[in-house]
Amino acid sequence: MRARIAMVAAGILMALWGGWKLLQSVDVHGLVRLPLWLGGAVVADDFVLAPLTVAVGWVVAQWSHRPGAHRTVGVVRTTLLYVGITSLIAIPLLLRQGTGVNPTVLPRDYLRDWLVLEATIVVIGAVGYFTFSRRRASSGDIGGR
């Protein structure tokens, strides 16, 4: 019980310290924009990302019911997962490139780099897909669903 109280107290102290640092480092205009940005992130997650994820998961699940798909569905899901994660990480860089006062902050061609990364992930996924789809069923293989 004492450990739990100590951890709660430490969490509260860290939250207060973080709030204090936020108030010191962000101007009033930024403090007004912060809840708007966070609200936009919640809306984008709930009304764009979650339905898109469910739809893609449903399509992959329907596709995986065909004969022999049990060997390849993991590769397809993993490829889609990595494409989605890297795209979410790249979106802020792609949207902010070339804006701002200091042109040296985002000096790279992030669109090209992102496209090369996505193409690499898709090619590796395709190699894995064709590798697993051409395998013959072994004695330990279930043989379908």
Side-chain angles (χ1 to χ4, degrees):
M1 186 66 171
R2 287 182 184 176
R4 184 177 291 181
I5 292 172
M7 290 180 70
V8 168
I12 290 172
L13 286 174
M14 288 193 301
L16 289 173
W17 179 73
W20 177 63
K21 294 298 278 182
L22 177 71
L23 291 174
Q24 279 187 335
S25 61
V26 178
D27 62 344
V28 176
H29 181 66
L31 288 174
V32 170
R33 289 179 44 200
L34 182 62
L36 294 175
W37 186 88
L38 291 173
V42 169
V43 168
D45 179 58
D46 290 349
F47 295 108
V48 177
L49 294 176
L52 182 65
T53 303
V54 169
V56 169
W58 182 82
V59 168
V60 170
Q62 295 303 311
W63 170 79
S64 69
H65 287 298
R66 63 182 176 74
H70 65 283
R71 289 188 289 275
T72 56
V73 71
V75 176
V76 172
R77 285 180 179 168
T78 304
T79 302
L80 291 173
L81 176 71
Y82 282 118
V83 165
I85 289 171
T86 54
S87 296
L88 284 175
I89 292 170
I91 285 174
L93 297 173
L94 296 172
L95 293 177
R96 294 196 56 179
Q97 186 170 2
T99 60
V101 215
N102 187 353
T104 63
V105 173
L106 297 172
R108 299 185 54 134
D109 185 2
Y110 287 106
L111 178 61
R112 182 201 65 213
D113 295 346
W114 173 70
L115 290 173
V116 167
L117 176 64
E118 299 305 315
T120 304
I121 292 170
V122 169
V123 165
I124 291 171
V127 167
Y129 174 80
F130 289 115
T131 300
F132 285 113
S133 66
R134 295 183 191 264
R135 280 190 184 169
R136 291 180 168 242
S138 65
S139 61
D141 200 355
I142 295 172
R145 293 186 181 196

